[in-house]
mmCIF file of all heavy atoms in Angstrom:
data_model
loop_
_atom_site.group_PDB
_atom_site.id
_atom_site.type_symbol
_atom_site.label_atom_id
_atom_site.label_comp_id
_atom_site.label_asym_id
_atom_site.label_seq_id
_atom_site.Cartn_x
_atom_site.Cartn_y
_atom_site.Cartn_z
ATOM 1 N N ARG A 1163 105.905 128.596 30.396
ATOM 2 C CA ARG A 1163 106.408 129.625 29.491
ATOM 3 C C ARG A 1163 106.566 128.911 28.166
ATOM 4 O O ARG A 1163 107.359 128.037 28.142
ATOM 5 C CB ARG A 1163 107.779 130.073 30.117
ATOM 6 C CG ARG A 1163 108.443 131.320 29.326
ATOM 7 C CD ARG A 1163 109.780 131.547 29.889
ATOM 8 N NE ARG A 1163 110.439 132.658 29.392
ATOM 9 C CZ ARG A 1163 110.597 133.847 29.894
ATOM 10 N NH1 ARG A 1163 109.927 134.178 31.028
ATOM 11 N NH2 ARG A 1163 111.200 134.875 29.219
ATOM 12 N N THR A 1164 106.059 129.463 27.193
ATOM 13 C CA THR A 1164 106.186 128.911 25.833
ATOM 14 C C THR A 1164 106.757 130.028 24.852
ATOM 15 O O THR A 1164 106.642 131.188 25.064
ATOM 16 C CB THR A 1164 104.876 128.413 25.289
ATOM 17 O OG1 THR A 1164 103.886 129.469 25.259
ATOM 18 C CG2 THR A 1164 104.387 127.274 26.263
ATOM 19 N N ARG A 1165 107.331 129.571 23.707
ATOM 20 C CA ARG A 1165 107.830 130.418 22.748
ATOM 21 C C ARG A 1165 107.253 129.913 21.377
ATOM 22 O O ARG A 1165 107.491 128.793 21.008
ATOM 23 C CB ARG A 1165 109.339 130.489 22.702
ATOM 24 C CG ARG A 1165 109.942 131.292 21.621
ATOM 25 C CD ARG A 1165 109.717 132.763 21.938
ATOM 26 N NE ARG A 1165 110.311 133.636 20.839
ATOM 27 C CZ ARG A 1165 110.191 134.967 20.809
ATOM 28 N NH1 ARG A 1165 109.468 135.601 21.734
ATOM 29 N NH2 ARG A 1165 110.665 135.679 19.809
ATOM 30 N N GLN A 1166 106.491 130.847 20.658
ATOM 31 C CA GLN A 1166 106.096 130.537 19.318
ATOM 32 C C GLN A 1166 107.182 131.038 18.349
ATOM 33 O O GLN A 1166 107.677 132.213 18.491
ATOM 34 C CB GLN A 1166 104.794 131.188 19.011
ATOM 35 C CG GLN A 1166 104.363 131.010 17.473
ATOM 36 C CD GLN A 1166 102.934 131.390 17.229
ATOM 37 O OE1 GLN A 1166 102.064 130.865 17.706
ATOM 38 N NE2 GLN A 1166 102.801 132.502 16.470
ATOM 39 N N PHE A 1167 107.391 130.213 17.409
ATOM 40 C CA PHE A 1167 108.495 130.637 16.330
ATOM 41 C C PHE A 1167 107.707 130.600 15.034
ATOM 42 O O PHE A 1167 107.033 129.749 14.597
ATOM 43 C CB PHE A 1167 109.668 129.650 16.334
ATOM 44 C CG PHE A 1167 110.480 129.440 17.567
ATOM 45 C CD1 PHE A 1167 110.082 128.639 18.552
ATOM 46 C CD2 PHE A 1167 111.531 130.255 17.749
ATOM 47 C CE1 PHE A 1167 110.844 128.381 19.685
ATOM 48 C CE2 PHE A 1167 112.199 130.273 18.940
ATOM 49 C CZ PHE A 1167 111.881 129.351 19.961
ATOM 50 N N ARG A 1168 108.095 131.654 14.281
ATOM 51 C CA ARG A 1168 107.409 131.848 12.969
ATOM 52 C C ARG A 1168 108.699 131.851 11.964
ATOM 53 O O ARG A 1168 109.450 132.781 12.097
ATOM 54 C CB ARG A 1168 106.675 133.045 12.854
ATOM 55 C CG ARG A 1168 106.223 133.520 11.391
ATOM 56 C CD ARG A 1168 105.032 132.774 10.918
ATOM 57 N NE ARG A 1168 104.644 133.202 9.598
ATOM 58 C CZ ARG A 1168 103.551 132.858 9.066
ATOM 59 N NH1 ARG A 1168 102.626 132.131 9.605
ATOM 60 N NH2 ARG A 1168 103.321 133.267 7.794
ATOM 61 N N GLN A 1169 108.728 131.005 10.955
ATOM 62 C CA GLN A 1169 109.751 130.923 10.110
ATOM 63 C C GLN A 1169 109.358 130.163 8.835
ATOM 64 O O GLN A 1169 108.523 129.164 8.901
ATOM 65 C CB GLN A 1169 110.910 130.112 10.731
ATOM 66 C CG GLN A 1169 112.200 130.008 9.828
ATOM 67 C CD GLN A 1169 113.355 129.425 10.530
ATOM 68 O OE1 GLN A 1169 113.254 128.805 11.583
ATOM 69 N NE2 GLN A 1169 114.587 129.484 9.958
ATOM 70 N N ASP A 1170 109.698 130.728 7.626
ATOM 71 C CA ASP A 1170 109.355 130.237 6.271
ATOM 72 C C ASP A 1170 107.872 129.921 6.143
ATOM 73 O O ASP A 1170 107.428 128.851 5.697
ATOM 74 C CB ASP A 1170 110.181 128.883 6.129
ATOM 75 C CG ASP A 1170 111.666 129.094 6.135
ATOM 76 O OD1 ASP A 1170 112.071 130.181 5.826
ATOM 77 O OD2 ASP A 1170 112.364 128.213 6.683
ATOM 78 N N GLY A 1171 107.015 130.865 6.685
ATOM 79 C CA GLY A 1171 105.588 130.714 6.526
ATOM 80 C C GLY A 1171 104.932 129.731 7.413
ATOM 81 O O GLY A 1171 103.753 129.411 7.239
ATOM 82 N N CYS A 1172 105.627 129.170 8.424
ATOM 83 C CA CYS A 1172 105.097 128.237 9.373
ATOM 84 C C CYS A 1172 105.346 128.708 10.776
ATOM 85 O O CYS A 1172 106.268 129.450 11.041
ATOM 86 C CB CYS A 1172 105.728 126.860 9.084
ATOM 87 S SG CYS A 1172 105.419 126.195 7.532
ATOM 88 N N ARG A 1173 104.579 128.138 11.674
ATOM 89 C CA ARG A 1173 104.738 128.510 13.085
ATOM 90 C C ARG A 1173 104.838 127.149 13.951
ATOM 91 O O ARG A 1173 104.158 126.235 13.555
ATOM 92 C CB ARG A 1173 103.616 129.330 13.683
ATOM 93 C CG ARG A 1173 102.265 128.859 13.550
ATOM 94 C CD ARG A 1173 101.192 129.864 14.101
ATOM 95 N NE ARG A 1173 99.870 129.409 13.938
ATOM 96 C CZ ARG A 1173 99.167 128.824 14.811
ATOM 97 N NH1 ARG A 1173 99.692 128.488 15.981
ATOM 98 N NH2 ARG A 1173 97.869 128.473 14.394
ATOM 99 N N THR A 1174 105.707 127.198 14.942
ATOM 100 C CA THR A 1174 105.912 126.048 15.868
ATOM 101 C C THR A 1174 105.868 126.707 17.212
ATOM 102 O O THR A 1174 105.969 127.856 17.352
ATOM 103 C CB THR A 1174 107.087 125.218 15.532
ATOM 104 O OG1 THR A 1174 108.252 126.074 15.595
ATOM 105 C CG2 THR A 1174 107.048 124.609 14.177
ATOM 106 N N MET A 1175 105.735 125.781 18.251
ATOM 107 C CA MET A 1175 105.900 126.230 19.599
ATOM 108 C C MET A 1175 106.817 125.347 20.476
ATOM 109 O O MET A 1175 106.812 124.098 20.300
ATOM 110 C CB MET A 1175 104.492 126.267 20.190
ATOM 111 C CG MET A 1175 104.475 126.924 21.598
ATOM 112 S SD MET A 1175 102.791 126.649 22.457
ATOM 113 C CE MET A 1175 103.051 124.985 23.116
ATOM 114 N N GLN A 1176 107.571 125.922 21.369
ATOM 115 C CA GLN A 1176 108.433 125.210 22.173
ATOM 116 C C GLN A 1176 108.002 125.528 23.610
ATOM 117 O O GLN A 1176 107.844 126.717 23.953
ATOM 118 C CB GLN A 1176 109.888 125.681 21.998
ATOM 119 C CG GLN A 1176 110.843 124.873 22.934
ATOM 120 C CD GLN A 1176 112.342 125.265 22.537
ATOM 121 O OE1 GLN A 1176 112.619 126.066 21.739
ATOM 122 N NE2 GLN A 1176 113.243 124.754 23.407
ATOM 123 N N VAL A 1177 107.881 124.476 24.486
ATOM 124 C CA VAL A 1177 107.555 124.682 25.799
ATOM 125 C C VAL A 1177 108.948 124.952 26.624
ATOM 126 O O VAL A 1177 109.754 124.018 26.611
ATOM 127 C CB VAL A 1177 106.824 123.468 26.551
ATOM 128 C CG1 VAL A 1177 106.669 123.701 28.028
ATOM 129 C CG2 VAL A 1177 105.558 123.251 25.777
ATOM 130 N N LEU A 1178 109.219 126.124 27.032
ATOM 131 C CA LEU A 1178 110.400 126.332 27.773
ATOM 132 C C LEU A 1178 110.488 126.032 29.199
ATOM 133 O O LEU A 1178 111.422 125.498 29.689
ATOM 134 C CB LEU A 1178 110.775 127.969 27.604
ATOM 135 C CG LEU A 1178 110.773 128.454 26.214
ATOM 136 C CD1 LEU A 1178 110.912 130.023 26.276
ATOM 137 C CD2 LEU A 1178 111.767 127.788 25.371
ATOM 138 N N GLN A 1179 109.401 126.319 29.937
ATOM 139 C CA GLN A 1179 109.134 125.804 31.296
ATOM 140 C C GLN A 1179 107.710 125.363 31.531
ATOM 141 O O GLN A 1179 106.799 125.852 30.883
ATOM 142 C CB GLN A 1179 109.472 126.942 32.211
ATOM 143 C CG GLN A 1179 110.960 127.436 32.183
ATOM 144 C CD GLN A 1179 111.122 128.642 33.137
ATOM 145 O OE1 GLN A 1179 110.158 129.223 33.505
ATOM 146 N NE2 GLN A 1179 112.381 129.149 33.271
ATOM 147 N N GLU A 1180 107.552 124.454 32.340
ATOM 148 C CA GLU A 1180 106.132 123.987 32.719
ATOM 149 C C GLU A 1180 106.171 123.362 34.065
ATOM 150 O O GLU A 1180 106.940 122.520 34.439
ATOM 151 C CB GLU A 1180 105.604 123.050 31.654
ATOM 152 C CG GLU A 1180 104.162 122.622 31.906
ATOM 153 C CD GLU A 1180 103.511 121.676 30.949
ATOM 154 O OE1 GLU A 1180 103.226 122.309 29.875
ATOM 155 O OE2 GLU A 1180 103.545 120.446 31.150
ATOM 156 N N GLN A 1181 105.095 123.654 34.846
ATOM 157 C CA GLN A 1181 104.880 123.071 36.133
ATOM 158 C C GLN A 1181 103.376 122.851 36.271
ATOM 159 O O GLN A 1181 102.557 123.822 36.049
ATOM 160 C CB GLN A 1181 105.468 124.053 37.270
ATOM 161 C CG GLN A 1181 105.307 123.358 38.667
ATOM 162 C CD GLN A 1181 105.916 124.181 39.718
ATOM 163 O OE1 GLN A 1181 106.238 125.314 39.542
ATOM 164 N NE2 GLN A 1181 105.861 123.724 40.934
ATOM 165 N N THR A 1182 103.039 121.724 36.842
ATOM 166 C CA THR A 1182 101.526 121.384 36.944
ATOM 167 C C THR A 1182 101.342 120.926 38.402
ATOM 168 O O THR A 1182 102.224 120.310 38.997
ATOM 169 C CB THR A 1182 101.050 120.355 35.889
ATOM 170 O OG1 THR A 1182 101.817 119.050 36.154
ATOM 171 C CG2 THR A 1182 101.220 120.862 34.484
ATOM 172 N N THR A 1183 100.096 121.049 38.873
ATOM 173 C CA THR A 1183 99.628 120.489 40.160
ATOM 174 C C THR A 1183 98.396 119.941 40.051
ATOM 175 O O THR A 1183 97.710 120.196 39.097
ATOM 176 C CB THR A 1183 99.719 121.486 41.240
ATOM 177 O OG1 THR A 1183 98.757 122.542 40.917
ATOM 178 C CG2 THR A 1183 101.084 122.244 41.330
ATOM 179 N N GLY A 1184 97.978 119.020 41.041
ATOM 180 C CA GLY A 1184 96.638 118.453 40.948
ATOM 181 C C GLY A 1184 96.378 117.639 39.778
ATOM 182 O O GLY A 1184 97.375 116.968 39.184
ATOM 183 N N ASP A 1185 95.141 117.493 39.378
ATOM 184 C CA ASP A 1185 94.774 116.649 38.364
ATOM 185 C C ASP A 1185 94.512 117.447 36.947
ATOM 186 O O ASP A 1185 93.572 117.171 36.329
ATOM 187 C CB ASP A 1185 93.472 115.819 38.683
ATOM 188 C CG ASP A 1185 92.323 116.702 39.072
ATOM 189 O OD1 ASP A 1185 92.520 117.933 39.228
ATOM 190 O OD2 ASP A 1185 91.179 116.230 39.038
ATOM 191 N N ILE A 1186 95.351 118.390 36.712
ATOM 192 C CA ILE A 1186 95.031 119.169 35.559
ATOM 193 C C ILE A 1186 95.139 118.240 34.298
ATOM 194 O O ILE A 1186 94.371 118.549 33.297
ATOM 195 C CB ILE A 1186 96.177 120.357 35.407
ATOM 196 C CG1 ILE A 1186 95.728 121.380 34.407
ATOM 197 C CG2 ILE A 1186 97.561 119.793 35.114
ATOM 198 C CD1 ILE A 1186 94.589 122.313 34.871
ATOM 199 N N ARG A 1187 96.038 117.238 34.344
ATOM 200 C CA ARG A 1187 95.958 116.222 33.246
ATOM 201 C C ARG A 1187 95.818 114.799 33.901
ATOM 202 O O ARG A 1187 95.989 114.635 34.964
ATOM 203 C CB ARG A 1187 97.307 116.301 32.529
ATOM 204 C CG ARG A 1187 97.594 117.471 31.666
ATOM 205 C CD ARG A 1187 98.763 117.297 30.672
ATOM 206 N NE ARG A 1187 99.157 118.321 29.917
ATOM 207 C CZ ARG A 1187 100.178 119.276 30.025
ATOM 208 N NH1 ARG A 1187 100.940 119.026 31.279
ATOM 209 N NH2 ARG A 1187 100.398 120.171 29.315
ATOM 210 N N ASP A 1188 95.376 113.895 33.007
ATOM 211 C CA ASP A 1188 95.263 112.594 33.432
ATOM 212 C C ASP A 1188 96.569 111.787 33.171
ATOM 213 O O ASP A 1188 97.485 112.455 32.739
ATOM 214 C CB ASP A 1188 94.085 111.797 32.816
ATOM 215 C CG ASP A 1188 94.164 111.758 31.268
ATOM 216 O OD1 ASP A 1188 95.354 111.804 30.793
ATOM 217 O OD2 ASP A 1188 93.130 111.583 30.560
#
């Protein structure tokens, strides 16, 4: 679950929740 924030002409993103399984990443 992520949230994109738009403020002062810029955007950022915050990861609110995350769960992974298997080898999705190294």
